[in-house]
Amino acid sequence: MKDRKYFAFFASFFDAIDECPLECQRDIYRAIALYGIRHEEMPLTGVAKAIFISLKPVLDNGWKQYNNGNKGGAPTGNKNAAKENPKTTQKQPNNNPKTTKEKIENKKETIEDTTVSMSSPDDAQGAYSIDFDNLMHYFNSKMQTKAIATITKMTPKRKNAVNARMVEYGKEAIQTVIDNAADSTFLNGGGDNGFVASFDWIFRPNNFPKVLEGNYANHTRQKKTYNGSGSTPEERMNHAAELIMRLSQEGVESDDDDDVQIESHSELT
């Protein structure tokens, strides 16, 4: 098969790849270029392979159109074919006329739908799938009384982000992260700078594992207390004085006086 000099790279490709970790993005871009120009598949694993599989149908469609154009002429009924054989070619009826704008919109929807569908055959759980409507309902129910805003639509970019995180961390991690974000005081504006997270922020490749691992959880700080008797400085001073007096009355040797002073100092601090 002859190499192509160029191929179509869509904005939806960039949106899907942009949701992946930086270390995977280079391999994905190279795999797309290699397949788009030479029709050769590059070995990939994990997230990179999942993204490439979702984009491959669009690339295959491009190759199909390219090959049809190299078969030596336009199909019967095409205007170019009519010029070569005007006697035998008849104008074909247009049973489903569509405007140029409709054709562009249909093509755009096809690309976006293809990009959303992801799977990772190498993973032990097989192809992933998720009900985005249920996901949005669960997220909104958890954030109903929180500062984090609810969402009204699962856009293709959001679906790509969720799928990418699911391939990396598993399906159960999605619910765990939503729960952790809802319970976090910091992510709901309780920090010093009043920062409030969002759905898109939570599912970014650098933020998702932090929320998953509990980096923004509400940690209870234990107040340091004195181990000896008393809770005020005056009571601790009295306790130390009593200790020194008792040891002195028991006839502590002079060599032991240093130990007494050290112990007394530790009581005061």
Side-chain angles (χ1 to χ4, degrees):
M1 184 176 294
K2 186 178 180 180
D3 292 352
R4 289 193 290 179
K5 293 182 180 180
Y6 60 88
F7 68 97
F9 187 94
F10 299 95
S12 57
F13 289 11
F14 175 79
D15 290 338
I17 299 171
D18 194 44
E19 295 297 334
C20 298
L22 291 176
E23 59 268 20
C24 297
Q25 293 186 16
R26 184 187 66 176
D27 290 341
I28 300 172
Y29 279 118
R30 178 170 176 78
I32 292 174
L34 184 65
Y35 194 80
I37 295 174
R38 299 181 181 175
H39 207 247
E40 296 178 4
E41 289 196 40
M42 174 179 167
L44 297 170
T45 59
V47 178
K49 185 169 185 177
I51 295 295
F52 179 76
I53 289 174
S54 70
L55 305 180
K56 188 172 177 290
V58 181
L59 297 173
D60 286 335
N61 187 53
W63 270 109
K64 183 178 180 181
Q65 295 178 2
Y66 174 77
N67 292 331
N68 288 339
N70 286 335
K71 288 182 178 180
T76 302
N78 185 277
K79 292 181 179 180
N80 294 329
K83 294 178 181 179
E84 298 178 1
N85 191 11
K87 294 183 180 180
T88 58
T89 303
Q90 296 180 357
K91 186 177 181 180
Q92 301 295 321
N94 189 355
N95 296 325
N96 187 23
K98 288 186 178 181
T99 63
T100 302
K101 184 178 180 180
E102 289 175 336
K103 292 179 180 179
I104 293 174
E105 291 298 328
N106 290 341
K107 187 174 183 180
K108 181 179 178 182
E109 290 177 2
T110 301
I111 293 170
E112 291 180 344
D113 290 343
T114 304
T115 304
V116 169
S117 177
M118 295 188 186
S119 60
S120 178
D122 289 344
D123 194 275
Q125 298 182 25
Y128 285 103
S129 62
I130 188 167
D131 189 325
F132 291 111
D133 290 336
N134 285 342
L135 171 64
M136 183 175 71
H137 176 74
Y138 183 77
F139 180 85
N140 289 343
S141 67
K142 296 294 292 187
M143 306 304 171
Q144 193 69 37
T145 59
K146 305 294 182 178
I148 298 176
T150 57
I151 58 176
T152 58
K153 184 178 180 181
M154 285 297 297
T155 62
K157 186 173 182 179
R158 285 172 175 169
K159 292 178 181 180
N160 288 331
V162 171
N163 271 326
R165 303 294 84 78
M166 185 167 54
V167 171
E168 289 181 284
Y169 302 99
K171 202 169 185 177
E172 294 181 357
I174 302 298
Q175 181 175 340
T176 300
V177 163
I178 293 175
D179 292 343
N180 289 351
D183 294 338
S184 171
T185 300
F186 178 84
L187 296 182
N188 283 276
D192 295 336
N193 59 358
F195 168 76
V196 178
S198 65
F199 183 96
D200 298 326
W201 184 93
I202 292 170
F203 283 92
R204 288 177 185 172
N206 294 333
N207 299 332
F208 187 91
K210 296 177 183 178
V211 181
L212 178 64
E213 294 166 1
N215 288 17
Y216 301 103
N218 304 326
H219 299 293
T220 303
R221 295 184 177 180
Q222 297 285 343
K223 292 184 177 180
K224 293 183 179 180
T225 57
Y226 176 66
N227 292 331
S229 301
S231 57
T232 65
E234 184 178 356
E235 290 174 338
R236 292 196 292 271
M237 287 285 291
N238 293 336
H239 175 75
E242 291 174 0
L243 178 63
I244 295 174
M245 184 178 297
R246 187 176 73 252
L247 293 176
S248 299
Q249 292 173 352
E250 292 176 356
V252 179
E253 299 293 335
S254 60
D255 290 341
D256 295 331
D257 287 343
D258 291 339
D259 295 335
V260 174
Q261 293 174 4
I262 293 173
E263 184 176 357
S264 300
H265 179 69
S266 66
E267 293 286 348
L268 294 173
T269 58

